[in-house]
């Protein structure tokens, strides 16, 4: 018998013996006991002083970074539909920063719209002091900023998708919702043209077709910026704070329920 065949035979024999052993040694669970442990400030855990001494500098450094003040918010901003203060604020921010990025890195690309899904906002921006922690709570994901070149017809399909969901976070576009369809679609203050092309700023999650945004995967061109979406928001709000400006937003009817 060849060595390779002997090896296979030996392995099969071992597996057979293991399987037989498993069959012969079975057990039956008669009772299961469990206890719920609440992970809050009342939980008392005794830590090893040596381990605690090693962890403390990193924990203190992280807490200092998270508590860093970025700016002040003029009012509570919550997510909602068909539009919302939070959706409008983040979408306007992403479009503005996307335009600035392109002016520096890709002068031939001119973004005119941005799209942020409602489900991507995991916490509101409260009135008052906005910290780094606030933005991590708002957007705990590692999503990146992506530029997409879209046909007008595919952008219209996306608007219909957003309309079927009752609205999303957008900037640079406007449309009404009637019977779960987008009507009177406008882009950059002009009627949407199915035959034109438009550049969009969005997240890699949505660009990959996440949250039902399948029409974005049919893009004509894609540019991965390598910029974290959360980092873009943090930097923008820090600039607001450095300039003595407040984070503010308004409802302007960019998505509305049509009669």
């Amino acid at each position: 018998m060849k060595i390779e065949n002997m090896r296979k035979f030996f392995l099969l024999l071992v597996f057979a013996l293991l399987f037989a052993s498993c069959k012969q040694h079975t057990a039956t669970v008669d009772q299961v006991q469990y206890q719920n442990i609440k992970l809050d400030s009342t939980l008392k855990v005794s830590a090893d002083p040596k381990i605690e001494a090693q962890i403390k500098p990193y924990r203190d450094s992280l807490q200092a970074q998270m508590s860093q003040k970025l700016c002040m918010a003029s009012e509570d901003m919550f997510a909602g539909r068909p539009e919302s203060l939070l959706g409008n604020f983040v979408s306007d921010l992403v479009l503005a920063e996307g335009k600035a990025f392109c002016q520096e890195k890709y002068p031939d690309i001119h973004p005119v719209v941005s799209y942020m899904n409602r489900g991507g906002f995991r916490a509101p921006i409260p009135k008052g002091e906005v910290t780094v922690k606030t933005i991590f709570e708002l957007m705990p994901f590692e999503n990146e900023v992506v530029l997409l070149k879209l046909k007008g017809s595919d952008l219209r399909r996306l608007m219909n998708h957003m309309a079927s969901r009752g609205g999303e976070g957008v900037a640079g576009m406007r449309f009404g919702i009637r019977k779960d369809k987008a009507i009177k679609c406008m882009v950059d203050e002009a009627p949407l043209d199915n035959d034109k092309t438009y550049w969009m700023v969005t997240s890699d999650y949505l660009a990959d077709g996440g949250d039902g945004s399948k029409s974005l995967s049919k893009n004509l061109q894609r540019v991965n910026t390598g910029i974290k979406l959360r980092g873009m928001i943090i930097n923008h709000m820090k600039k607001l704070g450095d300039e003595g400006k407040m984070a503010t937003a308004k409802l302007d009817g960019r998505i509305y329920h049509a009669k």
Side-chain angles (χ1 to χ4, degrees):
M1 185 180 290
K2 293 182 179 180
I3 294 177
E4 184 63 26
N5 290 335
M6 290 179 64
R7 184 183 302 164
K8 291 180 180 178
F9 176 79
F10 177 73
L11 288 173
L12 287 171
L13 180 61
V14 170
F15 283 129
L17 290 172
L18 287 173
F19 181 73
S21 175
C22 290
K23 289 182 67 177
Q24 292 171 6
H25 297 84
T26 57
T28 302
V29 178
D30 294 323
Q31 185 178 9
V32 176
Q33 294 182 341
Y34 67 92
Q35 178 183 3
N36 289 325
I37 299 176
K38 206 169 184 180
L39 299 179
D40 57 18
S41 59
T42 62
L43 180 64
K44 303 299 181 182
V45 180
S46 56
D48 186 308
K50 293 182 179 179
I51 296 178
E52 174 65 21
Q54 291 179 325
I55 293 175
K56 188 177 185 303
Y58 298 101
R59 184 177 59 229
D60 292 348
S61 175
L62 180 61
Q63 289 177 343
Q65 293 178 48
M66 286 294 174
S67 62
Q68 179 186 352
K69 177 182 174 181
L70 299 173
C71 65
M72 299 291 290
S74 61
E75 59 185 311
D76 293 327
M77 288 188 271
F78 292 92
R81 293 185 168 100
E83 64 171 330
S84 66
L85 291 178
L86 185 59
N88 290 1
F89 176 78
V90 175
S91 299
D92 286 343
L93 179 162
V94 169
L95 181 55
E97 291 293 333
K99 287 181 176 180
F101 172 80
C102 287
Q103 286 177 356
E104 181 179 349
K105 299 290 185 179
Y106 300 98
D108 293 332
I109 297 177
H110 305 284
V112 292
V113 294
S114 68
Y115 164 43
M116 295 285 109
N117 62 316
R118 160 70 179 81
F121 305 133
R122 293 309 174 95
I125 294 178
K127 178 180 179 180
E129 186 174 282
V130 178
T131 65
V132 172
K133 181 182 177 183
T134 306
I135 308 307
F136 268 80
E137 291 172 344
L138 165 70
M139 197 158 291
F141 316 105
E142 296 301 311
N143 292 339
E144 295 190 0
V145 179
V146 170
L147 305 170
L148 297 178
K149 186 178 184 180
L150 301 170
K151 287 179 60 178
S153 56
D154 287 326
L155 182 54
R156 189 180 299 276
R157 289 189 187 93
L158 177 66
M159 290 182 178
N160 280 324
H161 167 67
M162 290 190 280
S164 72
R165 296 166 66 89
E168 297 285 8
V170 301
M173 65 178 88
R174 174 184 170 88
F175 61 88
I177 299 175
R178 179 185 294 163
K179 295 181 179 179
D180 293 336
K181 296 290 185 180
I183 66 169
K184 298 183 179 180
C185 301
M186 306 286 289
V187 175
D188 202 21
E189 300 184 355
L192 172 62
D193 187 337
N194 286 347
D195 298 321
K196 284 185 64 175
T197 58
Y198 303 91
W199 278 97
M200 168 184 284
V201 190
T202 188
S203 71
D204 57 347
Y205 170 71
L206 296 173
D208 291 335
D211 208 8
S213 305
K214 296 180 180 178
S215 59
L216 295 186
S217 62
K218 300 178 181 179
N219 60 81
L220 301 174
Q221 187 178 345
R222 172 171 173 159
V223 177
N224 298 317
T225 67
I227 300 172
K228 295 291 185 184
L229 182 56
R230 182 176 56 230
M232 175 180 279
I233 297 172
I234 289 173
N235 290 337
H236 181 93
M237 301 192 83
K238 187 176 186 305
K239 283 190 292 185
L240 289 178
D242 292 343
E243 295 170 2
K245 298 177 181 178
M246 299 189 76
T248 186
K250 64 178 181 179
L251 301 178
D252 53 20
R254 62 187 68 182
I255 302 180
Y256 59 96
H257 290 292
K259 296 180 179 180

